[in-house]
Structures are given as C-alpha cells and as structure tokens.
Amino acid sequence: MQEPNQSSVTEFILLGFSFNSRTTPLLFSAFLMTYLLIILGNGLITILICLNSHLHTPMYFFIGILSMLDLGYTTTTVPQMLAHLASQKKTISFASCVAQMYIFLVLGITESWLFAMMSIDRYVAICHPLRYKVIMSPWLCGVMVTFCGLWGVISALIYTVFAMRLPYCGPNKINHFFCEVPAVLKLACADTSVNDWVDFILGFSVILVPLSLILVIYVHIFIAILRICSAQGRLKAFSTCASHITVVTVFCVPAMVMYMKPSSEASSEDDKKLALFYNVISAFLNPIIYSLRNKDVKRAFLKVAGWGRAPE
C-alpha cells in the first residue's frame, strides 16, 4: 500500500525584505530597536498592571492581556527575522515553519477578538457607568478572554491544517519575513482554491465579525456620548474610545486585506508591508496610544519606581 503524499520540502528559505546589502545594517538596527521598545513598552504595562492594585480594573485587565499577546506574536517572528538579517543562512525547517504559523495565528486571532471584548467593556463603562463594576465582574472578564483564546486556538488549527495538508515539492523560497499562510500557499504544488474559500470564511469569522461588532457597539457609544451634557465629559469619553479605534484600525484593517483576498491577487511586497503593520507597528504603538499616555499608568509607574506620586 502506497504511503500518502508527503511534502518533499524539508525546509524553507525566507527571502525577507528585498533591500540591497548596504541597507541591511540600517534595517537590522531599526527592527532591533523597535523590538526592544516593544518588549520594554508592553512588558512595563504588564508589570504595572500586576503590581498596582489601582489598575486591577476590567479595562486594564484587557490591556494587560493585549500587551502579553503583542509580546508573544512579535517574539514569534521578529527575532528570527533579525537573525536572518544578520547572517547568510535564511532557512527554517518545515516543522518550525508550521509551528511559527500556528502560534502566530493563535495570538493574532485571539487579539482580533480581544479588541471586540474591549469595545464591550467601553460600552458598559460609558453607557452603564453605575453598573459597570457589577456587569464587568472578574468572572465575566475571564470568560471573555477564555472565549477569545479558544476561538484563536481552533481557528488557527483549521488555517494551519488546510495550508499544510497541501504538497510542497519545490521551490521552497518564501517571499516573506516569516511563515505566513498566504505566502506559504504560493509554494503549494496543488490547486489552492479550497484554501482561498477557507481563508475567506475564517477571515469573516475572525476579522469581519469582531470588526462589525465593534462598529455596532461604537455607534451606540457615540449616541450615548452625544447625550452627555458637559463638553468636558464628552471629550473624556471620546478620548478613551479614540485610542481603541486607532489600535483596532492599525491591526485589523491590514489583517483583513491580507487574509480575505484570493492568493492569486496577492503581491509579495505589499503583503510584507501589511504584515509589518499588524505584526510589528501595532505592537509598538499599542503601549503608546493606549497606556503610556494614561494618567493612571503614569501614576502607577512613579509609585512602583519610588518617585512619589504623579501630579494630578
């Protein structure tokens, strides 16, 4: 009895960015500095939320989870990209490629749904402020994060299984800086039309559905904000929403373009730029936009650092 078809490719070559050798050191330095700032910013937020009891609220609980996800999925891709920029060897084993693809998808899909949960938190805080602590109980927050994680694990498994069930018999050069599904599918020695449908349907459930939920929730939030009598109150409510809308746009819109278009229409260079947005730039900006300019976070940092209290 003949064995089922197995991939003849045992490793892939990640081509990375198409820059000449003169710009490689500059590119390496830029990505290294960005990655270190991502670790510093998101790590600091996570530590402050854990150590300071004043930040033990639903909003900061979700922000802490967001920071850990950002740390996780950038660490899945960026260190390897830096290693490939610094050396001539740019290979990744087949098994490592599958693992990287799966872990990245788990964390990315979980984050996509987490943004929807965070919009629910903002809705309750603005539209039902007197019942906020009762509604957004620790139990409910835990259930919401668990749902996001389970959805990420299951959806990522489907994505990965459908991508890697195809035969890969050469060439083995992935025109990307990490093993992302659309880039890997271009190397498959078989028709990928079924994968296009799977990617579109799953993209609908992991990107469009959370985005639609966020849109509906924010329509209700903005209506509630317009009913606030004081201009200062409206401005304060809107500022908390503006941060969330910004990070959702930077993360979800490029991811939607990447995963919901047919692989035949994909441009490798455009795909790499899109991936930078939701993989690196989003994780870099989240602490800045969402937390580090927040008075509560500044006060917590000064307290933990032993520099007294931040000015009111």
Side-chain angles (χ1 to χ4, degrees):
M1 185 176 177
Q2 201 173 17
E3 289 291 317
N5 274 344
Q6 297 292 327
S7 170
S8 59
V9 172
T10 58
E11 65 179 17
F12 292 106
I13 299 171
L14 292 166
L15 298 181
F17 294 95
S18 54
F19 292 98
N20 60 54
S21 57
R22 292 180 181 178
T23 60
T24 299
L26 182 63
L27 197 65
F28 177 86
S29 301
F31 281 124
L32 177 61
M33 183 60 66
T34 304
Y35 180 58
L36 292 176
L37 290 173
I38 288 171
I39 294 174
L40 178 64
N42 288 286
L44 180 61
I45 294 300
T46 305
I47 291 168
L48 289 177
I49 291 172
C50 290
L51 294 181
N52 194 285
S53 59
H54 294 293
L55 300 183
H56 293 174
T57 64
M59 182 180 80
Y60 289 108
F61 170 72
F62 289 123
I63 290 175
I65 299 296
L66 176 64
S67 293
M68 287 189 285
L69 290 173
D70 284 342
L71 280 171
Y73 76 74
T74 51
T75 300
T76 304
T77 60
V78 177
Q80 181 192 61
M81 176 178 66
L82 291 171
H84 287 178
L85 283 170
S87 68
Q88 294 298 317
K89 186 178 180 182
K90 302 182 186 297
T91 58
I92 181 172
S93 69
F94 189 89
S96 297
C97 185
V98 174
Q100 184 185 58
M101 182 188 298
Y102 178 70
I103 294 169
F104 179 81
L105 284 170
V106 168
L107 298 173
I109 293 168
T110 301
E111 181 158 329
S112 178
W113 270 100
L114 183 68
F115 284 131
M117 301 300 111
M118 294 171 81
S119 68
I120 294 173
D121 172 70
R122 291 299 82 209
Y123 169 78
V124 177
I126 292 170
C127 299
H128 303 283
L130 298 179
R131 301 177 57 206
Y132 176 64
K133 290 185 178 179
V134 176
I135 296 173
M136 298 302 296
S137 65
W139 180 85
L140 179 61
C141 293
V143 168
M144 293 164 79
V145 169
T146 301
F147 166 80
C148 296
L150 288 175
W151 197 270
V153 168
I154 295 168
S155 300
L157 184 62
I158 297 171
Y159 264 120
T160 307
V161 167
F162 270 86
M164 305 319 288
R165 71 179 178 84
L166 297 171
Y168 293 90
C169 48
N172 67 337
K173 294 180 179 179
I174 301 174
N175 194 2
H176 211 298
F177 61 90
F178 72 101
C179 290
E180 190 164 36
V181 173
V184 174
L185 285 177
K186 291 179 182 179
L187 303 182
C189 305
D191 179 32
T192 60
S193 56
V194 174
N195 294 76
D196 287 342
W197 278 106
V198 170
D199 291 352
F200 180 82
I201 293 169
L202 283 175
F204 186 86
S205 68
V206 303
I207 301 174
L208 270 187
V209 171
L211 272 178
S212 301
L213 180 60
I214 291 168
L215 179 62
V216 170
I217 289 170
Y218 270 108
V219 168
H220 287 85
I221 288 175
F222 289 145
I223 292 171
I225 290 175
L226 292 174
R227 290 175 182 165
I228 298 174
C229 297
S230 70
Q232 186 178 2
R234 286 196 297 270
L235 183 62
K236 184 178 179 181
F238 181 75
S239 66
T240 63
C241 299
S243 299
H244 185 240
I245 292 170
T246 303
V247 296
V248 167
T249 303
V250 172
F251 179 86
C252 290
V253 173
M256 180 174 65
V257 174
M258 172 72 82
Y259 281 91
M260 297 194 70
K261 66 181 178 183
S263 58
S264 58
E265 297 180 10
S267 162
S268 298
E269 295 306 313
D270 289 343
D271 286 352
K272 283 183 271 189
K273 293 172 186 175
L274 286 171
L276 274 180
F277 266 93
Y278 57 79
N279 182 207
V280 180
I281 296 175
S282 172
F284 172 72
L285 291 177
N286 282 353
I288 300 170
I289 315 180
Y290 226 130
S291 303
L292 295 182
R293 67 187 185 91
N294 185 293
K295 288 183 179 179
D296 293 334
V297 175
K298 289 178 181 177
R299 194 177 296 117
F301 174 73
L302 292 176
K303 184 178 178 181
V304 169
W307 294 339
R309 297 180 60 185
E312 299 292 337

